[in-house]
Amino acid sequence: MALPTIASNYLALSRQTATPLIVPPSGVTPNLTKSKASNADEVYIAAIVCCPIIVLAGGLRVYVKLRVSPKWTIADYFSILSILCTLGFIGVAISLEPQGSFSHHLWDLTPIDLSNTAFLIFLLLETLYGPVIYIIKVSLLLLYLNAFRPNILLRYCVWIGITVIGLFYFSVVIAEIAMCAPRNGKNYVHAIIQPRCGNVKDIGLVASVFNVVSDTYLLIIPIPAVWALQVTRKRKIGLTVVFGTGLIALFSSIVSLVNRAILSTSSDTTWNVIPIYLALIVEMTAGIMVLGAPPIHSILKAHSSRFRNAMSSSKSRPQPRSLDVSPLHTAKHQHGGSAYSEMIQQLIDSYSEPLSEKASRDNKFSIDHESPSENDKEISDPSDEFKVAKAMCSKQVHQCVA
């Protein structure tokens, strides 16, 4: 992309500082003062909204990585590199407007308003976009590769995507530098307004078409792998939604393509280039969001599980441990000592009657066969018999309590 519409006027008007570079549309009066109309706010708003999202997604990815596995892979390094490159691209885009040449209507500019620094930044943005978006897309493809490594078809799709996308974007960068770089000691304004650099607008249009195709490719290839997983349907839908964040990038690339088409037929180049950068920033941010979606999902799932567990534990009260033992154990844990004593008495009474009957039978047997001894007489006494039975029951009770 270039500024061929001002090439014929720049040199002729370079000494006429009060003359606009192009004739304004019918009914429009050029504003050559310092308070020109500007659409730079679009880039500023995009930066304010997107930069925190990028930092948050990148920070959460690093946090989860350090907590789960300290071992870093090439996919992790590419993710960090893509975040840094995206922030750098946004910073360069913000620095374009203060130079005074872009974000204004071309009929509000005079030759003196064309800053060499502004055109250098403009060319830098055009050449940086290819490598930055390529790094982001490689990061996404490596994410797919790590997530679905056993899927052979997806592995082939990943490596084909890395190769084809890389060859295309770096070819575009080489072509833009070759066509628009200053020659013979000229500055960037002279270089970019030349007809040879004007052909780059066609390359930019082709690159936008390829961008839409590659974003569609990145959006589609993980879907079959997700639905081939042996997990529940709910889990498959959740993973599809996570990777479906790439729809934002696809929509942004379509908007960028439309703006490129408008730019290719418009003479108001310095104004129409800004919406393109807005779409590019949103597209890059959407790619970073896809990279940060898995760790964000993991953190939200962990915290939601903790919240549910805390709520369930607060509603439930601890119950006493129930053991299938004698009724004595249950009575021991009741409030007060009366129930415990009553249970002991019931246990003694249950032992007393059988033992009394047994002693009577023994006593009858001894009378029929031989004379009772002194000990036998003592035992045959009902009161003594009860004492023996009570002593035996007390011994059993003490053993149970112990």
Side-chain angles (χ1 to χ4, degrees), residues 330-345:
T330 306
K332 181 180 177 180
H333 291 83
Q334 292 179 357
H335 179 69
S338 58
Y340 182 51
S341 302
E342 183 178 350
M343 185 62 68
I344 292 177
Q345 187 63 43

Side-chain angles (χ1 to χ4, degrees), residues 294-307:
I296 291 175
H297 175 72
S298 301
I299 292 175
L300 292 178
K301 184 177 180 181
H303 283 283
S304 63
S305 299
R306 291 181 181 178
F307 179 75

Side-chain angles (χ1 to χ4, degrees), residues 112-262:
I112 199 174
D113 293 324
L114 300 183
S115 166
N116 187 62
T117 304
F119 278 75
L120 170 61
I121 295 174
F122 168 76
L123 182 59
L124 184 61
L125 285 171
E126 290 296 313
T127 54
L128 277 179
Y129 170 72
V132 172
I133 200 66
Y134 175 67
I135 292 172
I136 295 175
K137 292 182 178 182
V138 168
S139 301
L140 292 172
L141 290 170
L142 293 177
L143 173 65
Y144 299 161
L145 185 64
N146 289 339
F148 308 103
R149 186 173 294 275
N151 193 310
I152 298 177
L153 178 60
L154 186 134
R155 273 191 286 174
Y156 282 119
C157 292
V158 166
W159 291 115
I160 290 173
I162 291 175
T163 304
V164 173
I165 295 174
L167 290 175
F168 178 83
Y169 281 122
F170 283 102
S171 298
V172 169
V173 170
I174 293 172
E176 288 178 340
I177 294 175
M179 291 180 180
C180 299
R183 300 177 183 178
N184 302 323
K186 300 293 183 180
N187 60 21
Y188 284 96
V189 176
H190 285 85
I192 292 176
I193 65 176
Q194 295 302 314
R196 70 172 185 274
C197 190
N199 296 327
V200 178
K201 65 179 181 180
D202 299 326
I203 296 178
L205 189 61
V206 173
S208 296
V209 174
F210 179 83
N211 207 25
V212 173
V213 174
S214 61
D215 285 344
T216 305
Y217 180 79
L218 290 175
L219 183 64
I220 291 176
I221 61 172
I223 303 303
V226 167
W227 286 89
L229 295 174
Q230 300 298 322
V231 295
T232 62
R233 180 178 294 272
K234 182 179 179 181
R235 186 77 179 275
K236 292 177 181 179
I237 294 174
L239 291 172
T240 304
V241 171
V242 169
F243 291 116
T245 313
L247 280 172
I248 302 175
L250 177 60
F251 176 77
S252 301
S253 62
I254 293 174
V255 172
S256 177
L257 173 60
V258 173
N259 287 322
R260 292 276 187 182
I262 294 173

